[in-house]
Amino acid sequence: MSGERKKLYRVCAAGVLFAAGFVFGRHWALFLAAYALAGYDVIWNALRGLFRAQLFDESLLMAVASIGALALGDFEEGTAVMLFYQVGELFQDYAVDRSRKSITALMELRPDSARLILADGTTREMHPEEIQPGDLIALRPGERAPLDGVVESGESALDTAALTGESMPRDVRSGSEVLSGCVNLTGALTVRVTRPYAQSAVSRILEMVEEASAQKAKSEKFITRFARWYTPTVVGAAVLLAVLPPLFGFGAWLVWLKRALLFLVVSCPCALVISVPLSFFGGIGGASKRGILVKGGNSLEALAKLDTVVFDKTGTLTRGVFAVERVLPAEGVAGHDLLALAARAEQQSNHPIAVSLRAAAGALPEGGVEKIAEQPGGGVSAVIDGARVLAGNRRLMAQNGIVCPEETGGTAVYVARDGVYLGCAVIADQPKPEAAAAIAALKALGVRRTVMLTGDAEGAAQRVSRELGLDGWHAGLLPQDKVARLRDEMAAGQGTVAFVGDGVNDAPVLAMADVGVAMGGLGSDAAIEAADAVLMTDKLDRLPVAVRIARKTVRIARQNIVFALLVKAVVLVLGALGYANMWEAVFADVGVAFLAICNALRAMRIRE
């Protein structure tokens, strides 16, 4: 059983004993049993802090205040103080401990074995760490590359989405680079290893996640920062209140001792230790109802200070699904005829480009297509209605002596028939319909800068950036490049820098950013675990909602702090002068806590 679960059961059992104390006529023994069960670890931490010269922390404050209440004979008060404190701690620890515990999806990128090609042509399965640069390994269709290398022989298409986040497979042939973590889709490859396992792409990503998490230190809990000055102040004041007046003849020692103990009861930070975490968890609950998962109060507080938002492209700003964006026929060629011809040539392919062409063309005539052949690294050729048709990139056209213009802003599929250029269809990943409005809403909330990082080509990045109104973009990036660019943005930022992404390759930057935001619906497990917040609906319009929720939550938490401290200050002064009794002390503690909690519940009601 985990420590958190044990603590939860212990606090629940203490709560039962506390309630039983009231049922059996405010029986002091039951209250003391509840107090001991709920607070023995707090008392122990306070004593340990004394021996380690860490005198003034929240454990000492809670111990002194609650024991002071017990000493006055208010057993239920002292026990309630400890119970409230422990419940608040449970709330706060739960969300913090859930953050970044698992990068299971990243582990799945790392194959457990590689097939080394021996001198006689046979293969032997070995652990990737045993393979050395210069060795040859075999990579079959459907397998994940265990090491970085260069294709020695064979042709295939590689799914690089796990590394670059881009859904478009990359064609490789002799001399092409292969990165560990990529999936071989079609043909068998022989790969010459270029880097040892420790320096491979997958190992570097795993290492970056660990380093980035270490660089992003956990923010101090509010009560700890607060107790640094509040605890020594009230404890010192109580001691002086108990000693100085009778020492100078202003009354009996017992009178001032009771006032000092009353002073400590009033000073108990119950209203803060429960209402401040509850404010944040009210905000977290309100966010979850709107499809936003925030992992703890620290993350919510950071979102409230958002200055710069850095986005991944594919799957985050765009749909991650390719579609025909433009059809550019040559003179005298009808656009629908050009599209139908390209789709017929690609009718047997499952490549995303082919799928998008067929979807755009609609119903196609049956028959009339034969001799379909894949042109490695270029496209396809086919005989359609007796004419030889080529559909592919500019290199395929050049290989066949066909001159065609260069198109940018997407992937162009050029079409030729019997050596005559007919035009091209531009395939592009489409921006999400809500992306532009979400970015505009962020700017309306005061976000100073929005930037896109992508492994895609410059033309596609420029087009998406222009359409969505981004302030900047960087293209052609691998995971380590994204980390470097994010570091630059964080250095230049004037406040919190958030990164929004969805892929396994985004895990390092999500972990490094002040606030990592993962797209949860389609996002990888690694991205979700590395992030501080998750947009569960995969819609970017949730991000400005999250910022508004965070700002309202922080505002409510600050209201509770000011209100609690103000009331306590007044009652502390009255108690020290003898004008306040236990009723005022109870109000300053329990009453203020109740009002602060009611205010905290407002954080759950967020208008979009």
Side-chain angles (χ1 to χ4, degrees), residues 490-573:
M490 293 175 72
Q494 300 174 8
T496 299
V497 176
F499 180 84
V500 188
D502 72 316
V504 173
N505 63 294
D506 295 327
V509 272
L510 284 166
M512 172 174 282
D514 296 324
V515 183
V517 182
M519 307 294 287
L522 297 175
S524 70
D525 291 340
I528 292 172
E529 292 296 339
D532 300 290
V534 182
L535 308 183
M536 300 304 294
T537 62
D538 260 333
K539 291 187 176 181
L540 275 176
D541 58 5
R542 300 295 87 191
L543 185 56
V545 173
V547 175
R548 288 197 292 271
I549 290 172
R551 291 181 179 176
K552 180 177 181 180
T553 301
V554 170
R555 187 167 61 250
I556 290 173
R558 289 174 178 169
Q559 289 171 356
N560 283 341
I561 293 170
V562 172
F563 171 68
L565 292 181
L566 183 62
V567 172
K568 284 180 179 293
V570 171
V571 179
L572 284 173
V573 173

Side-chain angles (χ1 to χ4, degrees), residues 95-107:
V96 173
D97 291 342
R98 285 291 300 165
S99 179
R100 299 182 191 86
K101 281 188 175 180
S102 172
I103 49 173
T104 305
L106 281 178
M107 296 299 117

